[in-house]
Amino acid sequence: MRDFYGTTLANALMLGTAQYPSPAILADAFRRSGASVATVSLRRESGQDRAGQDFWQLIRDLGVQVLPNTAGCHSVKEAVTTAHMAREVFDTSWIKLEVIGEEDTLQPDVFGLVEAARILTEDGFQVFPYTTEDLVVADRLLQAGCEVLMPWGAPIGSGLGLNNIFGLRAMRAHFPDVPLVIDAGLGLPSQAARAMELGFDAVLLNTAVAKAGDPAAMAEAFATALRAGQLAHAADPMEPRDMAAPSTPVIGKAFLQ
């Protein structure tokens, strides 16, 4: 596994913590999958009546790396403020940075994203930016101080998988030494396996597991698929070809007169 800001994760699966039928099912999903990172929203914590404290204790009991996020933020100011509050609440400099720019697709506002990333890295944050597969934006994010990139597979919560294989493959080739995480859009374990076959380092997902009929079983299925994809990438797959090629040697083949 590649390092993420100096932290080596034991498992390439990062799981969200929203929309589960119950806290017990959420915990079971993490245990069965071995996911090593939990993304959490500041909106789950409240300063009043200690609402959310039980949830926070549940996450701590899982023993996973916490990755707070700025989900739902639509401006640089809102995202930066949320990140600072999250650092105080969750006691980590990691932040998954979201600056949403379009309501229908939840596509990031990449201009605001770069600006917010620059501000937060200067403030000592270790930023995981939710972005598109655009190489120019990716380069700007790295210049802003990001050491990890999180391109979307498809719109958040859509389950469509990897919409732009060409763009994702180009990003992997263009930034061979940068940790890359597919964030958003996955619906099936096979799609996660494909991401790992392309050479990505991890995937982050929520809805595909939380909304499954059996979330814990689906989380385990994703973890198994990720492992298969990692092994396949490491095994150096054959190049596809347009023409057939016999897999059995023809030398010495008997033929009829």
Side-chain angles (χ1 to χ4, degrees), residues 13-137:
L13 181 60
M14 304 180 178
L15 277 181
T17 56
Q19 307 182 77
Y20 286 85
S22 72
I25 292 175
L26 184 158
D28 197 23
F30 272 82
R31 293 190 185 100
R32 286 185 60 175
S33 67
S36 51
V37 172
T39 59
V40 294
S41 171
L42 185 65
R43 299 173 197 278
R44 295 294 298 266
E45 296 289 322
S46 169
Q48 297 184 359
D49 302 327
R50 299 183 64 79
Q53 290 302 307
D54 290 344
F55 167 77
W56 179 215
Q57 185 59 50
L58 182 153
I59 298 301
R60 283 192 287 201
D61 290 344
L62 292 174
V64 297
Q65 177 78 38
V66 176
L67 176 59
N69 64 57
T70 63
C73 292
H74 289 73
S75 70
V76 173
K77 182 178 180 180
E78 189 179 9
V80 170
T81 300
T82 301
H84 278 276
M85 294 173 67
R87 183 161 64 180
E88 293 299 318
V89 171
F90 298 109
D91 192 28
T92 176
S93 60
W94 279 23
I95 189 73
K96 180 195 166 191
L97 179 61
E98 292 185 22
V99 182
I100 300 300
E102 209 284 323
E103 280 297 332
D104 290 336
T105 62
L106 299 181
Q107 181 172 341
D109 169 1
V110 295
F111 306 101
L113 182 69
V114 171
E115 182 181 352
R118 180 186 56 76
I119 293 171
L120 290 173
T121 53
E122 289 177 354
D123 286 344
F125 284 89
Q126 294 173 316
V127 179
F128 293 68
Y130 162 63
T131 184
T132 67
E133 65 275 18
D134 188 295
L135 297 183
V136 177
V137 175

Side-chain angles (χ1 to χ4, degrees), residues 133-135 151-153 162-174 180 182 194 198 200:
E133 65 275 18
D134 188 295
L135 297 183
W152 64 350
L162 305 178
N163 273 356
N164 185 356
I165 293 287
F166 168 80
L168 294 171
R169 185 185 291 119
M171 174 174 270
R172 179 70 285 174
H174 200 73
L180 298 180
I182 292 291
R194 181 65 176 131
L198 290 174
F200 280 76

